[in-house]
Every structure is written in C-alpha cells, then in structure tokens.
Amino acid sequence: MEIIMIDGNKVLFSGMQATGSLTLGNYLGALKNWLTLSDEYMCFYSVVDLHSITIRQDPAELRRRARNLLTLYIAAGLDPEKNCIYYQSHVSGHAELAWILNCFTYMGELNRMTQYKDKAAKHADNINAGLFTYPVLMAADILLYQADVVPVGRDQLQHLELTRDVAQRFNAVYGDVFTIPEPYIGKSGASIKSLQDPAKKMSKSDENPNASIYLMDDPDTVMRKFKRAVTDSEACVRYREEQPGIMNLMNIYSVCTGRPNEEIEREFDGRGYGEFKTAVGEAVVDVLKPLQERFEDLSKNKDYIDGIIKNNAEKAGYYAQKTLRKVQKKVGFPEKIR
Ligand code: TYM
C-alpha cells in the first residue's frame, strides 16, 4: 500500500468543533493525547468549523469561538511551527472530498450513527442533511491527509469505524488510494463523565453548568463544581463499576496527576469524599491554570496568530490537494487544462 510519508513521518489528524466552550472532557479525552503524540507524527489539528454549522450558529460567535479554539490548541502546548493548526473552512478540499465520499457511503450506515440520533433528537426542528452526513465530512478530514492515526475520545469511535469502512470500500474499487486510519484512545481520559450524572458524558452542550468543567473556569468555580459532584453513599474511594461518580473522579485525578488507580485508592483509604473531591479539584486547577495564562498571552498577540492561520492553511491546502487530485482522477473527473 502506498502511504504518503510527509517529511518522513507518519501522519496524525484530529479536530474539534468550535461549538460551545471546551470542557475538561475535550482536554483529557483528546487534546492531552495530541500533545503526547505530536513529536512522533506529522500532525494536522483542525478547527472543524464546517461541522459546526450542522447546528445553527450565530456567525460572529462562531468566528470568535473558532479563533479561541485555534489559540487554545497552541496554548495547550502544540507548536504551530511543527504541527499544522488550521481552520477546516480554509481548505476547500475537505468539502470536495466529502462530496465524493458521500457517493461511497450508504444511508443505512449513516442511519446507525448514534451521535446523529442523539443530535437529531436534541435539535428536532433542524434535522438537516449536513447533520446526517456529518460523519462523511469527518472521514474526508481524515482521509484527505492520509492519516495513520486519529486521537479521539471514545464517543468518536463509531465515526472512525465508518471512516475505515468507506476508505476500504473506495480502495477496493480504485486501488490503494487511502491510508486506513487507526483510532487512538487514551487509557483513563477516554470518556470523562458529567459531574452531575456519571451515566452521561461530560458535554459542551449540557444545560446544567455544574455538570461540566470548562477549560476557562476560574479556580473557585472548579473547586465548587467538584464539591457538588454527584457520588454515592459508599464512603470509600474505590475504582468499581458500582461507584460511577467516584470512578469518574478517579479517572480525572489519574490523568491529571499521572497516578494509577491503586495508588489513588491507597492515598485516600479511610479519608472522606470531601477530601478526595478537594484533591481532584486542585489537580484540575493545576492543569488549567498554565493553559489559561498562555491563552490570555497568546490572545493579545493578533499578528502572531494571524500568521499561523495563514501559513498553516497553505500548508494543509498543499497536502489536501495532493490526495484530492489523485481521487478526482481515480473517479474519472477530467484533468484541468492549465
Ligand atoms: P468534539 O468537538 O465533540 O470533541 C472533540 C474531542 O473531544 C473528545 N471528547 C471527549 N473525550 C472524553 N470525554 C468526554 N466527555 C469527551 N467529550 C468530547 C471527542 O471524542 C473528540 O475527540 N466529530 C468530532 C470532530 C471532528 C474530528 C474529525 C475528530 C471532525 N472531524 C476528524 C477527529 C478526526 C467532534 O465533534 O469532536
């Protein structure tokens, strides 16, 4: 199989939506792993604004959030000289490849997507075709850069499986055009749960603000939300399915401090939930504080961020065109006369 090696490295693609404020779930489930992997791969990190409009957005607000998200990628520690950090809407190849892949994806496959069903139920007044074909655009994002690995939280696995199926189907017809990507799911941060209902994932769009820690929450807010986190009446810090609230807090504490669960159980043996919740809150504040400070600094530097936006869109566009041209030729579109 031909794998496009970019600068000798394997390729990583991932993205986040600029809808709502990023949560600790986004950070621990995805962004943190991006940082760990960024030295090993040639990385494309996109702010996926095309995906965002599958739900109605206020235009000025979407622009503001998209810029904040891009800035946050850098504030989190991704070096924009080494990693390609860009807006999806600045590279038209995403939409162009998505159209072609739409013709290789079955309605039945898209009908099975649980995220579509959830979102359609939530936005019953606006079940648009974009919401339905959202996973195809996601497949296009990934396949456009011939990505080998895609770090995501567990909620995106189904979309990754679809991406692989569509790529394999295309390759079966036209030869080895696309690299088949592998998902990368971190160990303990893969599914961070709501602090108010540990059966649900922590989500940007939760109506209860106490359910999610937002990356821009100040320390007092973080501590208050952890104090109010729903637990149980067992009164012991143990990693057990029967204690989903405590399991979630342990997951968060473990990813933030790097300590394994057995060590955490020992540390809090015989101590109350109050102490444990305070420790988790403090560990999260320690992670968020430097991120927030760097974000503030970077946000003031308009020219620097503008430069990154421009250069990286060009770089992403270059690699995207390479795949797109190959795909267009394979499906039978006529060559452009130059
Ligand atoms: P989005 O914006 O919903 O989420 C961004 C990333 O955060 C992860 N995540 C979580 N991880 C653990 N616990 C949680 N509670 C939690 N909530 C969110 C998500 O799994 C995701 O990795 N469709 C994608 C964006 C996208 C994309 C792509 C991702 C578009 N094209 C191509 C990878 C590759 C999304 O909506 O993510």
Side-chain angles (χ1 to χ4, degrees), residues 13-17 25-26 29-30 48 51 134 138 141-142 150 152-153 155-156 189-192 201-202 204:
F13 182 93
S14 203
M16 288 200 192
Q17 289 204 68
N26 296 126
V48 294
H51 280 101
Y134 177 114
M138 196 165 147
D141 297 341
I142 297 166
V150 184
V152 282
D155 63 324
Q156 295 299 316
S191 187
I192 301 295
K201 75 165 185 175
M202 185 180 284
K204 289 177 219 167

Side-chain angles (χ1 to χ4, degrees), residues 185-200:
I185 310 268
K187 258 189 239 129
S188 20
S191 187
I192 301 295
K193 305 297 183 193
S194 150
L195 297 185
Q196 291 299 311
D197 176 2
K200 289 196 313 193

